[in-house]
Amino acid sequence: MSMINRRAFVRSGGLALLALGLPPEFVTRSLLAQTRGAARKKTLICIFQRGAVDGLSMVVPFGEKAYYAGRRNIAIQAPGRENGAVDLDGFFGLHPSLSPLHDLFKRNELAIVHAVGSPHPTRSHFDAQDFMESGTPGEKATRDGWLNRVLAETDCDACAGRSLADGAAHTADHVAGQTGMAMVPALRGIAMGPALPRALRGRHPTLAIEDLDNFGIANGRDASLEDTFARVYRTGNDEVIGGAADGAFDAVQILKAANLASYRPASGVRYPQGNFGRSLSQIAQLIKAGIPVEIAFADIGGWDTHQAQGGAQGQLARRFDELAAGIRALYDDLGDRMDDVVILTMSEFGRTVAENGSGGTDHGHANCMFVMGGGVAGGRIVGDWPGLAREQLYQGRDLALTTDFRDLFAEVVHGHLGAKNLETVFPGHAIDPAGWRGVLRG
Amino acid sequence: MFNVRRFLGCAAAAFGVGVAAPVLAQTAEEDTARALHLLSRATFGVRPADLADVLAVGPDTWLIRQLEPAGIDDRKLADRLAPYSSLTLPIGDLYEWYLPPQQLIQQLRVRVDSTAGPGRGRDTAFTRQDLPPELRRELQQRSPQRLLGELVHTKILRSAYSERQLEEVMTDFWFNHFNVHFGKALTRYMIADYEREAIRPHVFGRFEDMLLATAKHPAMLFYLDNWTSIAPDSLRSDDVERGRQMRRIAGLSDRQKDQLVGSGRLSREQLRRIEEAGPMLEQANRRLRDRGLNENYARELLELHTLGVDGGYTQQDVIELARVLTGWSFVPPRQPGASLPRPLANVEPGTFVFNAFGHDTHEKVVLGERVVAGGVEEGEAVIRMLARHPATAHFLATKLVERFVSDAPDPAFVDELANVYLRTDGDLREVTRALFTSDHFYTTDVRGAKVKTPFELVVSAVRVTDARVGPSRKLVETLRAMGHLPYNEPAPTGFPAVSEDWINSGAMLARMNFALDLAAGRVDGVRLDAARVDLAETKPDAALDAVLARLLPGTETEALATAIRADLERNVEAESPGAQLARAIGLALGSPEFQRR
C-alpha cells in the first residue's frame, strides 16, 4: 500500500478519499451523516476560571461564624438578610449573582463540590494551573494534558488500521453504542480560543477554534487556497506532518458541511457579551449541529481579586454575573441535549479565608467546583466540609482540602465519557472509585 | 524588494556551480546538501547569501568563525537593538517603570489626588477608570505587555538578523535548558538580564560557569522558588525575635554601631554578618513564616539542568540538595519610595544574597558525598560536582543531539559528545564544534528529519524572504497561539524539541495561515515586498521555479510546483500578478517541505 493510502486509512478514516478524487461534497456529507449517527453523544464542557476564584464567595458557608469573623467588608450575608446568599441547604448559599443557577440546583442538576482542589501546596497561579491541566500536581515534567489523555484512552482501538470496507461493518458496532468513533479525531476535543489549553495538548489530535465562522485556511475566505494546501499535504510523503494536516482538513470539511451558519440560540436565550459568552454559544453551535465533540473547553478570567473584591456587589459579583448568565444561557440553549452534557467548572486554587488589607483575598488552597447536567446527581453540596475554625484551616489560613480534584475529574470522565485506564489519565494517583463523591446518577 | 530576477541570479550563483561535469556535479550537489544541512541546524534559517558563504569557505571554516562570535561584525544588529531599553536597563529600573498594574494605578493616583500619598494607604476603590486619559495611556505604556512585546521583538530581531547565528541558536538552546517564565511575577523584570549575564556569555564557555550563573541569578531563584527556601528550624520564635533585634541593629547609625562594638556587646564580625543578612531575615520572617524548605529548584537542578531524570539521584538527594541551597536568595526590587533597611539600600535590586540565617547548617550528603557544613560555598561545590558528573555529560549530549540532529538521538553520537564534554571539562565550544562536525551529524537519514518549531518557522520565513520586521502585535499573537511565544513557557522543562509536541491538527492550520498572512502583508510591522513584482513580465514557470529555489533550496519541489501552478492558473484572472506571487510564496512557506529543516 502506498504511503498516502496507508495514511488515509489509518489516520483519518474516510476523508482522505478526497485525495483519490471522489467529490468532496459526497464524501463529507456521507461522513458527517455517519459521524452524527455513530458517535457517542456525550459531551463534557470544562470551564476554567483562571486566576483562582474565591470559592467562599461562590458558595458561601453562611453557617460558619469564622467566615464572618475573617471577612468584615466582603462577606456575603446569610439568606434572608439584605443582599444575602441564596439558601441551598441551611448552611451553604449561592452568591446572589449566581442565582440564575439556583433553578438547576433545585432541579437536582447542579452538584456543588466544596473543599476540592489540588493537594499540592503551591500558591503560584502558573504552577497550579499547570498542575490542574496536566493532571499531575507536583510533577512538572508531564507534557500532555489530562483531557488529551482521556481522548487517547477512549480511542477505539478497533478503528485503527482498518480498511474502509472493514470500517463499514465496524461502524455498526459504534452505532450499537459499544464504543466511541472518531472519524475525525480532532473534532473530539475542541478548545474555544486562540490557543490550545495545556489540558488538551498531547498526542491525540485536538483543535483550538477562536471563531467558528472563520475557521480554516485564510479564515475560510478562499476555497482554492484550502484546496491547494489540502492537495499538497495529502499527496506529500511526509507522514507525520501530513497526518496532522489531514486531521485539520477533515475537521474543516466537516464543519463546512455541517451548516453551522443556520444556528440560532433557542428562543429567549441571550448569551452574555464578551469572549466567555461567545465561547459557550459556539460550543452550543457545535453540539446542535451534531458535531460529535466529546470535550469542549472554555476559559473565563478575572478572578484574581487581591483588591476591592466587593461583596454582593462589586468586582467579583460582576464576574459571577457573567459566569452564571453564560452557563444558564448554554443550559437553556441546549435544552434536552443537556441530558448528554456535563458542565464542569474548575479553578487552580481557592483564596484566603480572611480578607487582606486591600479589601481582597490572597492565594489560598481548596475551592469549590460545579458539576451540572441532566445526568448529574445534583441538588447537593458534595464532599466533606472541613470547617473554617483556625485549627481546621490549611496552614492556618486557607480552606483545607477534602476532595482531590483528580478524584472528581476521574469520576466525571469515567461516568460520563466512559474513560478507561484512569491510572493513565492521572498517572501517579491511586484510583479508588469507592472514595468517589457520586456526582453522577446511575 | 522581493525580486524574481534577483532570485534567479541567486539561484544560479548557488546551484549553477555544478553544471560543468557529471562527477563534479555530484560532488557539488553533495557539498550543497551538506552546507544546507549545516545551515538548517546551526542557524535560524537559510538565506541565499549564507549558502554562498558556506560553499565559499567550507563548512568547517564557517563553523569555526561562528564559534568565535566576537570576531564577527554584528553592528547592524546592534543598531537595530539600540532603541530597546529593556534589554539593558537594570532590574530595579525595569521594575519601577513596568510596575505591577495594581501598584502602578496607586502610584498614578497620587498625581491626580492630592490627598493620596505615601503613608496614606491605598485606596482600593480607585481603579483605572478613575484615571484621566493621559494617565491611562501611561498605564498602558507601562504595562507588562509592553515589556513582553519588547523582549519578544528583540528576540526575533536577533534570531533573524544576527550574523552570529550560531551564538543565537545556542543562546536559545541554553536559555530553554535553563528555562524561566515571563508570566511568573518578578521573573519578567529579570529575563533580559538573565539571558545577557547568565546564559549568553557562557554558550561557548564552560557549562559549570553557566550552571552557577543561573543558580545565583534572581530570575532562577525566584522562578523556581529557592529564594523562599529556608532551613525548617531557622524560624523558631526566638529566631524571629533575634531577627527583629538584628534588623534594629542594622538600622542604627554608624556612631551607634561603633558604640555597640565598643561596649563589647557585639564583635565587628558579628556586626558585619548582621548588616549583610539582618534585613533578609526580616523579609523571611514576614513572607515565609509558615514555609520552610522548598525543594523546587533542587529537584529541577538535578532533573532538568544536570543529571537528567534517570541520572541516578533519589528523593533524599533532592532534599539534601535543597538543604545545601537554603539561604540562596536575592535583593528584591522595591517600589519607588520604599526602601530596604540601610545595609541593602544601596545594593542593586536583583543582586544575589546568601542569607546565612536561613541556611541549614547541619551536615548533608548529596549523591553519596558528604557536604561539609559551611555557607554559600557548600552549594557552589555541589554545583561544580554536578557539572562534572558523567550523567550530566550524557544528559546534555542527548538534549543537544535531539535538538540539533534527530528526534531519536543515535546513542553512539550521544556517547561521542558526552566524551568530548568530559574530556574538555564541559567546554561548550568544543562540544558544539564536535556536534556540528561529527560524521554522525551529516548522515543522510537525519537530513531534513527535524520539524521546525513554530518560532523556527516564523524566523526562517522572515530570513529566507528577507522581510523587514518591526514591532508586531500579530507576530506575538501568532507565536502565542502556536504555543511558542519566547520567554513564555511556564514549565521549567522549556519548550519541547521533538516534533510530536508541535505537530497537531490545529497547529498545522496555524502554520499555513501564518505563511499566507506573512506573504500577503497581513502581519503588521512586517514588510515583505512581493506585490511589486510583475509576474507577467517573466515566464510564470521560471518565476515560480525561482521562488521555490529561493525558499526551498535543495528540496524536491516538483509536486509542490505543480500544485501551486494549478492554484495560480485557477486564480489568474482574479488576482494581480503581485498578489499571485504573494500567493505562491504563501503556499511555499506553508508547505510541508518548509516545515522541516
Side-chain angles (χ1 to χ4, degrees):
Chain A
M1 200 183 267
S2 79
M3 190 81 84
I4 311 161
N5 291 344
R6 189 153 53 87
R7 203 168 79 212
F9 288 120
V10 173
R11 294 289 307 236
S12 77
L15 268 191
L17 282 173
L18 282 173
L20 308 179
L22 285 170
E25 302 77 32
F26 164 75
V27 177
T28 44
R29 248 187 291 119
S30 65
L31 188 62
L32 181 62
Q34 265 183 335
T35 317
R36 278 174 170 153
R40 158 203 356 242
K41 290 200 186 78
K42 300 288 185 189
T43 306
L44 171 65
I45 301 172
C46 294
I47 295 173
F48 205 120
Q49 296 172 277
R50 290 193 195 273
V53 66
D54 178 27
L56 295 174
S57 290
M58 199 163 156
V59 176
V60 180
F62 62 80
E64 282 275 358
K65 275 209 186 89
Y67 171 75
Y68 292 101
R71 297 185 167 210
R72 287 164 183 261
N73 302 301
I74 62 164
I76 308 301
Q77 295 307 309
R81 291 174 165 243
E82 197 186 347
N83 291 326
V86 182
D87 187 21
L88 294 174
D89 65 353
F91 185 87
F92 289 105
L94 278 180
H95 189 285
S97 292
L98 294 174
S99 59
L101 304 181
H102 190 216
D103 269 356
L104 312 183
F105 189 83
K106 285 189 290 192
R107 282 169 11 207
N108 297 336
E109 294 181 12
L110 161 60
I112 293 168
V113 188
H114 224 318
V116 62
S118 166
H120 195 274
T122 183
R123 290 191 175 92
S124 147
H125 292 296
F126 294 95
D127 289 348
Q129 288 182 20
D130 199 53
F131 292 155
M132 193 161 277
E133 294 194 72
S134 72
T136 57
E139 185 45 72
K140 293 190 172 186
T142 310
R143 285 206 164 149
D144 49 6
W146 76 277
L147 289 171
N148 194 286
R149 293 195 295 274
V150 167
L151 292 175
E153 292 304 322
T154 50
D155 247 348
C156 172
D157 299 334
C159 280
R162 278 172 185 264
S163 74
L164 281 182
D166 294 347
H170 182 57
T171 305
D173 301 340
H174 285 280
V175 175
Q178 297 300 310
T179 49
M181 181 147 177
M183 292 298 268
V184 182
L187 288 172
R188 297 181 66 207
I190 298 179
M192 309 316 300
L196 210 52
R198 175 85 157 84
L200 272 172
R201 287 188 214 156
R203 75 186 153 94
H204 193 285
T206 47
L207 284 173
I209 300 180
E210 188 167 23
D211 180 3
L212 272 178
D213 298 336
N214 292 315
F215 180 66
I217 293 295
N219 298 332
R221 285 190 310 264
D222 188 331
S224 174
L225 277 175
E226 203 158 284
D227 234 48
T228 304
F229 266 136
R231 198 176 304 270
V232 164
Y233 274 87
R234 288 192 204 284
T235 55
N237 55 8
D238 193 324
E239 202 161 347
V240 174
I241 289 180
D246 282 352
F249 292 119
D250 292 354
V252 170
Q253 294 291 335
I254 285 282
L255 291 180
K256 233 183 244 170
N259 192 20
L260 291 165
S262 68
Y263 164 79
R264 298 282 175 279
S267 82
V269 168
R270 301 255 321 253
Y271 286 92
Q273 297 252 311
N275 286 338
F276 178 62
R278 205 166 67 107
S279 294
L280 295 189
S281 79
Q282 296 197 96
I283 290 171
Q285 196 177 357
L286 288 167
I287 292 174
K288 290 170 96 172
I291 302 299
V293 49
E294 288 168 55
I295 293 173
F297 195 101
D299 277 340
I300 176 169
W303 305 102
D304 197 16
T305 48
H306 287 283
Q307 280 198 298
Q309 170 170 313
Q313 277 127 26
Q315 188 193 161
L316 182 59
R318 287 192 292 275
R319 303 311 298 133
F320 285 142
D321 284 337
E322 185 176 345
L323 179 75
I327 292 175
R328 186 57 198 262
L330 176 66
Y331 216 97
D332 293 345
D333 195 8
L334 290 177
D336 291 347
R337 287 186 175 85
M338 279 308 301
D339 287 348
D340 296 310
V341 175
V342 166
I343 302 171
L344 172 67
T345 69
M346 60 195 73
S347 192
E348 64 266 32
F349 43 65
R351 308 189 72 85
T352 46
V353 172
E355 70 185 49
N356 63 21
S358 324
T361 45
D362 295 320
H363 299 178
H365 194 57
N367 210 338
C368 73
M369 295 182 180
F370 287 178
V371 189
M372 291 161 279
V376 170
R380 306 179 299 141
I381 316 286
V382 189
D384 304 321
W385 178 247
L388 293 184
R390 189 173 161 79
E391 67 279 6
Q392 295 168 323
L393 299 181
Y394 177 75
Q395 294 183 347
R397 51 177 259 171
D398 303 329
L399 179 62
L401 178 135
T402 58
T403 301
D404 189 311
F405 77 88
R406 290 168 293 187
D407 291 322
L408 177 64
F409 291 4
E411 181 184 346
V412 169
V413 295
H414 176 76
H416 186 61
L417 297 179
K420 301 163 284 187
N421 304 334
L422 293 170
E423 50 295 323
T424 312
V425 175
F426 295 108
H429 184 60
I431 298 294
D432 176 19
W436 287 354
R437 299 299 182 184
V439 293
L440 300 179
R441 277 192 281 115
Chain B
M1 178 163 143
F2 203 84
N3 181 311
V4 168
R5 265 154 293 175
R6 209 175 77 207
F7 324 148
L8 280 170
C10 289
F15 304 114
V17 198
V19 185
V23 179
L24 271 180
Q26 210 175 11
T27 321
E29 205 174 290
E30 172 60 8
D31 284 351
T32 304
R34 287 169 73 101
L36 286 169
H37 176 61
L38 175 62
L39 285 167
S40 78
R41 305 297 171 91
T43 74
F44 272 108
V46 185
R47 294 175 307 184
D50 299 328
L51 179 60
D53 201 19
V54 175
L55 287 173
V57 300
D60 290 355
T61 306
W62 181 87
L63 188 71
I64 286 166
R65 282 184 198 164
Q66 286 287 325
L67 286 166
E68 301 283 355
I72 300 172
D73 181 359
D74 216 6
R75 273 172 299 186
K76 276 193 192 152
L77 174 70
D79 291 344
R80 287 180 199 262
L81 295 177
Y84 300 103
S85 55
S86 60
L87 287 185
T88 46
L89 277 177
I91 289 165
D93 294 10
L94 277 178
Y95 180 79
E96 283 191 24
W97 181 250
Y98 295 106
L99 270 184
Q102 289 305 326
Q103 291 175 29
L104 185 54
I105 289 172
Q106 293 299 320
Q107 195 197 83
L108 295 176
R109 166 178 153 250
V110 176
R111 293 202 214 154
V112 289
D113 178 359
S114 57
T115 65
R120 294 199 183 235
R122 296 199 288 194
D123 177 358
T124 54
F126 192 91
T127 66
R128 71 181 64 219
Q129 276 78 33
D130 300 317
L131 289 170
E134 74 273 12
L135 290 187
R136 246 181 282 166
R137 257 197 309 283
E138 178 170 342
L139 186 69
Q140 209 177 21
Q141 278 163 5
R142 296 172 64 178
S143 76
Q145 287 315 303
R146 283 296 169 104
L147 175 59
L148 175 65
E150 262 194 36
L151 288 173
V152 172
H153 178 55
T154 50
K155 165 91 182 169
I156 293 171
L157 288 180
R158 286 178 184 285
S159 308
Y161 302 124
S162 175
E163 297 300 326
R164 302 167 181 176
Q165 278 286 301
L166 186 60
E167 184 187 53
E168 289 310 319
V169 166
M170 299 316 291
T171 300
D172 185 76
F173 173 83
W174 289 112
F175 185 102
N176 199 53
H177 181 77
F178 292 109
N179 187 44
V180 298
H181 173 39
F182 181 90
K184 188 157 172 176
L186 291 182
T187 311
R188 68 185 54 147
Y189 307 105
M190 304 159 174
I191 281 184
D193 190 272
Y194 179 67
E195 182 171 302
R196 187 183 68 240
E197 303 295 333
I199 304 291
R200 187 178 292 277
H202 304 295
V203 298
F204 298 134
R206 292 176 64 228
F207 178 75
E208 178 184 310
D209 296 334
M210 186 166 8
L211 184 63
L212 203 55
T214 59
K216 288 188 171 178
H217 197 279
M220 184 62 79
L221 289 164
F222 185 83
Y223 170 63
L224 290 180
D225 304 327
N226 199 76
W227 74 296
T228 69
S229 184
I230 50 175
D233 60 358
S234 65
L235 275 184
R236 291 187 310 258
S237 58
D238 53 329
D239 284 342
V240 174
E241 182 46 40
R242 209 153 50 103
R244 282 204 196 96
Q245 283 181 18
M246 285 173 180
R247 191 177 65 110
R248 272 200 294 276
I249 294 169
L252 295 174
S253 72
D254 287 346
R255 213 167 54 88
Q256 288 168 315
K257 284 180 190 163
D258 287 344
Q259 283 173 352
L260 260 183
V261 174
S263 71
R265 287 162 62 197
L266 207 63
S267 75
R268 270 282 161 216
E269 174 58 19
Q270 280 173 321
L271 180 65
R272 193 185 62 76
R273 289 187 62 183
I274 288 172
E275 288 186 329
E276 273 177 17
M280 296 308 293
L281 181 62
E282 166 66 12
Q283 190 194 359
N285 284 343
R286 257 189 305 115
R287 307 200 54 147
L288 315 171
R289 188 147 314 174
D290 48 20
R291 300 193 194 183
L293 202 63
N294 188 311
E295 300 168 10
N296 199 1
Y297 175 63
R299 179 184 311 282
E300 307 307 5
L301 176 55
L302 293 172
E303 176 182 329
L304 300 176
H305 299 168
T306 58
L307 305 180
V309 70
D310 302 318
Y313 61 92
T314 65
Q315 171 59 26
Q316 193 55 35
D317 286 320
V318 172
I319 293 171
E320 301 274 314
L321 179 55
R323 291 175 53 214
V324 166
L325 296 168
T326 43
W328 286 43
S329 188
F330 64 93
V331 178
R334 47 207 173 254
Q335 285 190 51
S339 62
L340 287 178
R342 225 151 53 94
L344 291 180
N346 297 320
V347 181
E348 191 61 50
T351 305
F352 173 77
V353 178
F354 178 68
N355 169 16
F357 296 91
H359 184 66
D360 183 329
T361 50
H362 305 287
E363 187 185 286
K364 303 105 184 166
V365 177
V366 179
L367 300 175
E369 304 243 354
R370 249 187 67 223
V371 181
V372 181
V376 67
E377 69 280 6
E378 286 177 28
E380 290 166 349
V382 174
I383 283 174
R384 284 198 195 92
M385 169 181 86
L386 290 171
R388 297 203 167 95
H389 200 286
T392 299
H394 194 265
F395 179 60
L396 297 178
T398 306
K399 277 192 81 172
L400 283 163
V401 175
E402 193 180 74
R403 161 88 182 245
F404 293 104
V405 187
S406 161
D407 286 0
D410 176 350
F413 195 2
V414 171
D415 288 346
E416 184 181 302
L417 281 189
N419 287 334
V420 173
Y421 179 96
L422 291 171
R423 197 175 64 235
T424 62
D425 206 9
D427 182 334
L428 296 181
R429 181 174 278 118
E430 289 310 311
V431 173
T432 310
R433 186 208 311 275
L435 171 66
F436 290 112
T437 49
S438 168
D439 288 340
H440 290 292
F441 176 73
Y442 283 108
T443 55
T444 48
D445 60 332
V446 301
R447 297 187 196 172
K450 288 291 294 180
V451 172
K452 288 174 185 171
T453 64
F455 185 75
E456 288 167 346
L457 169 69
V458 166
V459 176
S460 66
V462 166
R463 281 174 66 77
V464 75
T465 57
D466 241 338
R468 306 288 96 182
V469 178
S472 167
R473 185 182 287 260
K474 172 96 176 182
L475 268 190
V476 170
E477 279 168 13
T478 303
L479 286 165
R480 193 197 293 281
M482 291 198 280
H484 202 183
L485 186 59
Y487 311 119
N488 274 267
E489 170 55 37
T493 28
F495 293 110
V498 299
S499 64
E500 65 177 21
D501 289 300
W502 292 117
I503 297 302
N504 65 66
S505 300
M508 292 317 301
L509 287 179
R511 284 169 182 248
M512 290 176 237
N513 282 324
F514 163 72
L516 294 172
D517 287 343
L518 180 76
R522 287 193 295 264
V523 179
D524 66 285
V526 182
R527 264 185 33 239
L528 185 155
D529 284 343
R532 286 192 229 156
V533 177
D534 185 358
L535 207 66
E537 282 184 14
T538 327
K539 214 173 142 233
D541 273 10
L544 180 60
D545 288 345
V547 167
L548 294 177
R550 158 88 178 244
L551 302 183
L552 292 160
T555 311
E556 172 52 61
T557 54
E558 210 181 298
L560 181 62
T562 308
I564 295 177
R565 199 170 289 123
D567 182 87
L568 295 179
E569 279 163 13
R570 279 203 299 277
N571 293 282
V572 72
E573 290 182 2
E575 305 215 31
S576 70
Q580 283 195 52
L581 183 56
R583 199 178 174 96
I585 293 168
L587 285 164
L589 296 178
S591 71
E593 289 80 0
F594 195 75
Q595 309 309 308
R596 290 204 172 263
R597 61 184 177 103

